[in-house]
Amino acid sequence: MDAALWGLEAAFVAHPAPQSLAGCPHCHGGEVSIADTDPLTLALTLGNTVGTPDDLRALTPWLLRTALTDERVDLRTVLGRIAENWATWGDLERDAVRDVADAVWSALLDMHPDAPGGATAVAMLDSVGALGEPPARLIAIWEYKEIASADHHLAELVVDAFYGARVDPMILAWAHAGTQRERLARARDRDARERWVGTLTAACDLLD
């Protein structure tokens, strides 16, 4: 994660972050100081009633760091705002944003979904999906992560999808493929004494 965030800062070095922004005189009373503005308010209004799309571009490293450190700032909202504006950005900048999203996803798979402060795969896929791109990179990371926590996330996704959670069709098709059924069966046998074996067993039953 640290490497991805460092790469993000480096990718946007040609667009230094401003200290203040022009705000809508009716909504914000004119000039807005970044240091004195609530991060949630700024994340929601940047490039709209506060600042310009160019300001949003320059503050993208700040926005993503804030989304990862301030629980009030929603990652999906931030990535969605970026996706609305990044069509004219350079490949280096867009790739740096993707690298951060991939790092967040990878970190999620390293943590069991029932860990304190953890998120489910369904929720994180929804957040990262705000970039509007196919989930092939995320699937590739998931396939590489043959560890208990990633298996647990896969099982939870299968169960959540069965009960109506919204899942990208490409990911759902991958999760129901024979390779993933075999993976979950191995995980169920391996983790037979773990507290999450019930989720693994339920997922295996749903895929049979």
Side-chain angles (χ1 to χ4, degrees):
M1 182 69 73
D2 288 342
L5 289 172
W6 180 89
L8 184 72
E9 298 285 353
F12 285 83
V13 70
H15 305 279
Q19 299 300 309
S20 62
L21 304 166
C24 169
H26 303 291
C27 303
H28 305 285
E31 188 175 22
V32 174
S33 168
I34 293 175
D36 297 333
T37 302
D38 175 68
L40 176 59
T41 299
L42 191 54
L44 292 174
T45 59
L46 185 58
N48 187 3
T49 58
V50 172
T52 66
D54 286 340
D55 291 325
L56 186 146
R57 182 182 191 176
L59 286 166
T60 286
W62 176 86
L63 277 172
L64 284 171
R65 283 185 179 275
T66 301
L68 297 177
T69 57
D70 189 331
E71 63 182 15
R72 299 173 303 157
V73 179
D74 178 55
L75 179 62
R76 190 183 199 287
T77 298
V78 169
L79 290 176
R81 296 298 309 287
I82 289 171
E84 290 171 2
N85 290 276
W86 74 346
T88 60
W89 297 6
D91 289 341
L92 184 65
E93 295 158 349
R94 290 195 297 269
D95 285 345
V97 172
R98 293 185 184 105
D99 287 346
V100 171
D102 289 353
V104 171
W105 173 242
S106 181
L108 174 84
L109 294 179
D110 287 338
M111 180 185 299
H112 283 280
D114 54 2
T120 67
V122 170
M124 187 58 70
L125 288 167
D126 183 58
S127 292
V128 177
L131 285 176
E133 298 187 318
R137 293 191 330 276
L138 306 180
I139 289 175
I141 294 171
W142 212 340
E143 289 179 340
Y144 174 77
K145 295 269 189 181
E146 291 200 22
I147 55 178
S149 55
D151 295 339
H152 190 181
H153 277 290
L154 176 57
E156 282 224 338
L157 178 135
V158 170
V159 173
D160 289 349
F162 176 79
Y163 285 106
R166 183 179 61 187
V167 180
D168 184 288
M170 182 176 176
I171 291 176
L172 197 57
W174 170 81
H176 281 74
T179 302
Q180 310 324 315
R181 290 199 297 269
E182 293 170 3
R183 173 178 179 169
L184 288 175
R186 290 195 303 272
R188 177 195 58 199
D189 296 341
R190 179 197 64 212
D191 297 345
R193 296 180 180 274
E194 302 292 348
R195 65 184 183 280
W196 56 83
V197 68
T199 306
L200 294 169
T201 300
C204 288
D205 291 344
L206 290 171
L207 293 177
D208 284 341

